[in-house]
Amino acid sequence: MLQKSSPFMKQANLINGEWVGADSGKTIDVINPATGLKIGTVPNSGKAETQRAINAAAEAFKTWRKTSVLERSKLMRKLHDAILDNQDALAELLTLEQGKSLAESKGEVGMSAAYILWYAEEARRTYGDIVPSPWADRRILVTKEPVGVIAAITPWNFPSSMLARKIGPALATGCTAVVKPATQTPYSGLVWGALCEEVGIPKGVVNILTGSASEIGGEITSNPLVRKITFTGSTEIGKILIKQAADTVKKVSMELGGNAPFIVFDDADVDRAVEGAMIAKFRNSGQTCVCTNRFLVQAGIYDSFVEKFATATAKLKVGDGLESGTQQGPLIDEKAVEKVEEFIADAKQKGGKVITGGKRHALGGSFFEPTVIGDAKADMLFTKEEIFGPVAPVYKFETEQEAIDLANDTQFGLASYFYTQDLGRVFRVSEGLKYGMVGVNEGMITTVEAPFGGVKESGLGKEGGHQGIEDYLDTKYVCVGGLGL
C-alpha cells in the first residue's frame, strides 16, 4: 500500500525517453525501512532492457557529444536549479525509501545539486595542450574527448548524491549514461530521469534501469558499446565488475568499502573530537563508506573520551526519518540488523564492554540503539570487517606510531580521521596514513570541490574536484604535419 505519494515517484524505467516496464511485466516491491510497509514497485528488468538502454545511449552519443560545452553547461545549470526548486519533495522521497532523517536527506539532495553545478563549471575547463614540437614543420595538439557510453551502478545508502557524482561528469563531458540504482532505494535514482526530461536534456542521453543486478551488470560489463563503468558499493562486487570489464578493456572507477580509523591523541581537544566522532560515526545510522569503523584513542584520554562519547551517543533521538527531531533512522533492512548484532555478540565474547546501547531499539523493526563498545581488541570481527551500522568500538593505544600502524592494518584505504593540536603531528600522521582521504580535527570532510576516493582495496579513481571529470575523458594526440614551415 502506498504510504505517501510524490509527483517524482516514477515506478517505471526510462529507456530512450520512454517510461516503460520490464519486458516480463515483473516488478520489485520497495519497502519503507521505518514502517516495513510497501511504498510501491519498480520494474524487474534484465539483459534485454539493458541492451536497449545501451543502444539508445550509443545513438544519443552521436549528437550529444557534438553539443557545445556551453550548451551542456547551461542545461546542467537548469538541472541544478530544478533539484533545488524541489528539494523538499525529493528529500521526503529519499527518506521514505531509505530511512535517514529528513534533515540528512535535504542535505544529500543539496549536495546532489552542488555536484551538478560543479561539473557544469568544470565542463568548461577540460583543457588540452599545444606541445612544443621537435619538428619544424609539425604541430602537436593534445585534446580531451568524451569516452562514450558510461554505465553507473549506485548503492542504497546515498541514492541521490552518489548518482550526481556520476551523471554530473558524464553530462559535462558529452558522454551518455545507462544507470542502475539500487532496488532498495530506486526512486531517488529514477527521479533523475524526470528531472533531466524537465530541463530539456535529449532522450537517450540518460537511461535508468531497475532490476536484476547480475543480468543488468552482466550486460553492462560485456557490451562493447559501454566504454566506462563507474560503481559505488562493496569491494566484493567491485572486484567482480573489474574482472568482467577486463574482457572489453573498459575504463573503471570504483568507490568501494572502507574501514575508517578515527584517532584521538592525548593532546586533542576532546570535546571537539567527540563532536566530530558523532558525525563521523552516526551519520545515516552508520551506513556510509566513510563512517568511522574503529576509534583509536590514546591511553591518557581514553576514559575521558569514552565517557563523553557514550553520553552524547545515548542522547541521539532514534525514530522515523520523517518525524521532526529524528537524528537516526532505521537500518536499511533486517539483514543489516543481524550483522550488527553479530559484531556486538563477538565483541562481548572477546571481552568488549557495551558502554551504551547494544540492542534493538524499542521501536522495533530495523531500528537499533546507537552503541559504544569499550575495550575493543584486534581479534574482534569489526577490526577487519566494515560495520555499516551504529556501532562504535573504541580501542586504546600508547604511541603515535602504534596508532598509525593500527590504522593502516587493513586492506581498505578510503577515509581516515585524527585529532591533535600538535602541528608536527598533523603532518607526520597525515603522511603516514595510507588512505585516500584524511580529516584532521574534522569528522565530516566530503565536499564537491575535493577529490573523493580511496586507495588499496577501497577503489580506483576519484569523484569530485577537478580530478573527478578525468575518468570520463579520453586524451587524444594529433600531429599535424606538412605545414611547409
Side-chain angles (χ1 to χ4, degrees), residues 194-243:
L195 292 165
C196 287
E197 279 187 322
E198 181 182 315
V199 301
I201 292 171
K203 70 175 186 177
V205 172
V206 175
N207 305 272
I208 307 177
L209 296 155
T210 55
S212 166
S214 59
E215 284 196 43
I216 295 174
E219 181 60 27
I220 281 171
T221 53
S222 64
N223 195 310
L225 293 175
V226 175
R227 294 314 313 147
K228 172 189 165 56
I229 294 173
T230 170
F231 169 75
T232 301
S234 72
T235 296
E236 178 187 11
I237 299 300
K239 288 178 179 179
I240 293 170
L241 292 172
I242 292 170
K243 289 175 184 175

Side-chain angles (χ1 to χ4, degrees), residues 15 58 79 86 123 168 193-194 225 265-266 279 303 412 417 471:
I15 300 177
L79 181 57
N86 298 287
L225 293 175
F265 290 100
D266 281 345
I279 299 169
D303 291 339
F412 299 108
Y417 313 89
D471 276 343

Side-chain angles (χ1 to χ4, degrees), residues 250-484:
K250 303 185 194 304
K251 279 196 173 192
V252 293
S253 55
M254 300 275 152
E255 198 265 280
L256 307 176
N259 187 349
F262 187 109
I263 308 169
V264 187
F265 290 100
D266 281 345
D267 64 348
D269 178 333
V270 175
D271 291 332
R272 184 179 179 88
V274 169
E275 184 181 337
M278 296 302 292
I279 299 169
K281 175 69 250 186
F282 296 112
R283 187 165 62 100
N284 199 23
S285 303
Q287 300 173 118
T288 92
C289 51
V290 295
C291 268
T292 300
N293 216 67
R294 297 166 293 150
F295 286 90
L296 311 175
V297 183
Q298 202 159 12
I301 58 163
Y302 180 89
D303 291 339
S304 172
F305 176 85
V306 169
E307 180 185 352
K308 290 183 176 183
F309 183 36
T311 299
T313 300
K315 292 178 180 176
L316 285 172
K317 181 181 178 182
V318 179
D320 187 321
L322 293 174
E323 293 177 1
S324 177
T326 292
Q327 294 171 292
Q328 181 179 293
L331 297 187
I332 190 65
D333 55 24
E334 176 65 20
K335 185 178 177 182
V337 176
E338 291 171 358
K339 183 180 178 185
V340 164
E341 288 180 321
E342 180 186 352
F343 281 129
I344 294 172
D346 170 77
K348 289 167 70 175
Q349 182 185 350
K350 294 171 180 174
K353 180 182 178 184
V354 176
I355 310 297
T356 188
K359 60 185 184 296
R360 293 178 185 237
H361 197 275
L363 288 170
S366 61
F367 289 95
F368 203 88
E369 293 178 346
T371 300
V372 175
I373 296 177
D375 299 328
K377 301 291 188 296
D379 62 347
M380 296 177 182
L381 286 177
F382 43 49
T383 302
K384 298 294 185 183
E385 298 181 28
E386 192 170 18
I387 298 170
F388 238 64
V391 177
V394 190
Y395 303 71
K396 185 185 294 184
F397 72 88
E398 299 289 341
T399 68
E400 180 182 301
Q401 190 57 49
E402 181 188 359
I404 294 171
D405 292 342
L406 287 169
N408 287 338
D409 188 18
T410 171
Q411 82 232 47
F412 299 108
L414 188 56
S416 58
Y417 313 89
F418 69 93
Y419 279 69
T420 181
Q421 297 187 79
D422 181 326
L423 184 59
R425 177 173 277 161
V426 167
F427 287 94
R428 291 193 303 271
V429 176
S430 61
E431 291 171 11
L433 291 171
K434 190 65 175 173
Y435 286 82
M437 297 178 285
V438 181
V440 184
N441 296 326
E442 294 292 343
M444 171 73 168
I445 60 174
T446 305
T447 180
V448 300
E449 294 84 0
F452 186 103
V455 297
K456 300 196 289 187
E457 293 189 24
S458 284
L460 303 162
K462 301 296 180 186
E463 295 182 320
H466 70 83
Q467 297 89 346
I469 207 165
E470 291 297 326
D471 276 343
Y472 295 77
L473 294 165
D474 287 330
T475 299
K476 177 178 284 185
Y477 155 47
V478 178
C479 180
V480 183
L483 298 179

